[in-house]
């Protein structure tokens, strides 16, 4: 594991964007696993700048996102599809038809999970998976549990996650109680993993995840078993 500590959020964003840019430059048809949340916003902004400057070309890239809230359509401004369209896809030259987010409105989320895993498999897996981390150690929406779940699956959000994500909604009651998330199989089979964490409040969970025991109670701790993980952490 490479553990990079930086001084500021801006530095974190630059580092992460450079790692993603390097991936796309070396392999223009990369499959990028992408994440939502406030942490990757700076990274996405930098990638858009690089693309605008002609330094990175996303024309041949495919993206697969980690997760989506249940019941939110892509045009809902709280959906993760909306987040990705507006914070990244519209600002780079990626082909929107090659950007995938699980469908949180699928009637049968179990079936949607199977479809999503099949899609990732048919793409040849993920070349680089970008991850944030929740305060309870969740990655994607893989919440603390008795077991690590392999497949893309429906989850009940942890009360602490609902609390943490309420800041994006008008009220806590509006935060969906369920979501669909990529499971540990697609994440762990990614060739490279880049996890970004920002802020003093993430320090404890980052320490537990990468330097403590591997347990499904701290979902990110499974990443200790991955052969190519880079963590970029800023205490700002
Ligand atoms: C959400 C997402 C996660 C993300 C987490 C942390 O719950 N499903 O993928 O890592 O938020 O978000 P933030 O970066 O805002 O702390």
């Amino acid at each position: 594991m490479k553990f990079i500590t930086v001084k500021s959020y801006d530095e974190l964003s630059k580092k992460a964007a450079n790692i993603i840019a390097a991936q796309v430059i070396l392999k223009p048809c990369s499959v990028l696993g992408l994440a939502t949340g406030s942490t990757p916003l700076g990274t996405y902004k930098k990638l858009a700048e690089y693309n605008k400057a002609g330094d990175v070309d996303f024309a041949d890239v495919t993206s697969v996102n980690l997760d989506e809230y249940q019941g939110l359509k892509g045009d809902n401004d709280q959906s993760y599809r909306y987040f990705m369209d507006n914070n990244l896809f519209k600002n780079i030259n990626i082909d929107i038809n090659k950007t995938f987010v699980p469908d949180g409105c699928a009637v049968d989320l179990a079936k949607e999970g199977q479809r999503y895993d099949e899609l990732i498999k048919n793409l040849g897996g993920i070349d680089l998976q970008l991850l944030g981390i929740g305060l309870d150690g969740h990655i994607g929406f893989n919440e603390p549990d008795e077991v690590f779940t392999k497949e893309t699956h429906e989850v009940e959000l942890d009360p602490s996650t609902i609390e943490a994500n309420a800041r994006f909604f008008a009220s806590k009651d509006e935060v969906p109680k369920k979501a669909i998330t990529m499971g540990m199989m697609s994440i762990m089979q990614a060739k490279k993993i880049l996890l970004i964490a920002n802020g003093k409040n993430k320090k404890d969970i980052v320490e537990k995840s990468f330097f403590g025991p591997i347990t499904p109670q701290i979902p990110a701790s499974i990443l200790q078993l991955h052969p190519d993980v880079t963590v970029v952490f800023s205490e700002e």
Side-chain angles (χ1 to χ4, degrees):
M1 174 180 59
K2 288 186 214 90
F3 200 97
I4 304 172
T5 309
V6 294
K7 290 214 165 58
S8 67
Y9 177 65
D10 191 54
E11 224 184 303
L12 173 146
S13 302
K14 220 183 274 170
K15 272 256 158 25
N18 288 349
I19 292 169
I20 298 169
Q23 171 68 39
V24 175
I25 290 166
L26 290 172
K27 185 178 177 189
C29 62
S30 288
V31 177
L32 298 179
L34 297 176
T36 54
S38 51
T39 315
L41 282 173
T43 307
Y44 292 158
K45 221 167 147 199
K46 291 262 185 271
L47 287 174
E49 281 168 25
Y50 297 166
N51 185 233
K52 206 169 166 206
D55 293 332
V56 194
D57 182 4
F58 290 90
D60 294 326
V61 165
T62 300
S63 73
V64 284
N65 257 78
L66 283 166
D67 48 10
E68 180 60 282
Y69 286 114
Q70 187 207 24
L72 298 194
K73 289 206 183 108
D75 58 1
N76 183 310
D77 61 5
Q78 298 302 339
S79 74
Y80 283 168
R81 160 53 76 181
Y82 188 95
F83 174 101
M84 291 309 301
D85 285 351
N86 287 281
N87 290 304
L88 184 66
F89 302 150
K90 275 186 185 161
N91 307 327
I92 59 173
N93 69 329
I94 198 166
D95 175 355
I96 200 75
N97 297 312
K98 290 199 290 190
T99 67
F100 300 98
V101 180
D103 180 5
C105 290
V107 187
D108 185 340
L109 285 183
K111 251 201 191 134
E112 169 61 7
Q114 280 169 13
R115 183 195 71 84
Y116 206 67
D117 285 338
E118 201 60 30
L119 170 91
I120 295 171
K121 200 171 132 202
N122 291 337
L123 289 169
I126 298 165
D127 290 299
L128 173 65
Q129 176 66 56
L130 175 67
L131 296 172
I133 185 168
L135 285 171
D136 60 0
H138 72 242
I139 48 177
F141 268 136
N142 290 279
E143 294 282 25
D145 203 347
E146 297 302 311
V147 290
F148 291 112
T149 304
K150 285 187 286 186
E151 296 85 6
T152 299
H153 59 288
E154 181 179 344
V155 280
E156 293 226 1
L157 298 179
D158 202 84
S160 69
T161 301
I162 293 175
E163 187 87 39
N165 289 1
R167 67 190 193 276
F168 301 112
F169 291 79
S171 75
K172 200 167 114 182
D173 294 340
E174 283 186 27
V175 185
K177 309 281 173 289
K178 289 182 179 176
I180 177 167
T181 183
M182 213 186 262
M184 293 306 189
M185 185 175 60
S186 298
I187 295 175
M188 288 298 282
Q189 286 176 352
K191 294 182 188 79
K192 287 175 192 291
I193 290 182
L194 169 62
L195 184 139
I196 52 177
N198 181 60
K200 279 202 172 66
N201 63 340
K202 292 275 172 84
K203 193 176 177 195
D204 187 46
I205 194 63
V206 167
E207 246 164 39
K208 284 189 177 132
S209 300
F210 292 99
F211 304 101
I214 297 166
T215 160
Q217 296 297 342
I218 300 177
S221 65
I222 198 173
L223 299 174
Q224 291 183 48
L225 298 174
H226 192 282
D228 192 345
V229 179
T230 303
V231 180
V232 186
F233 176 62
S234 161
E235 266 192 55
E236 187 187 52

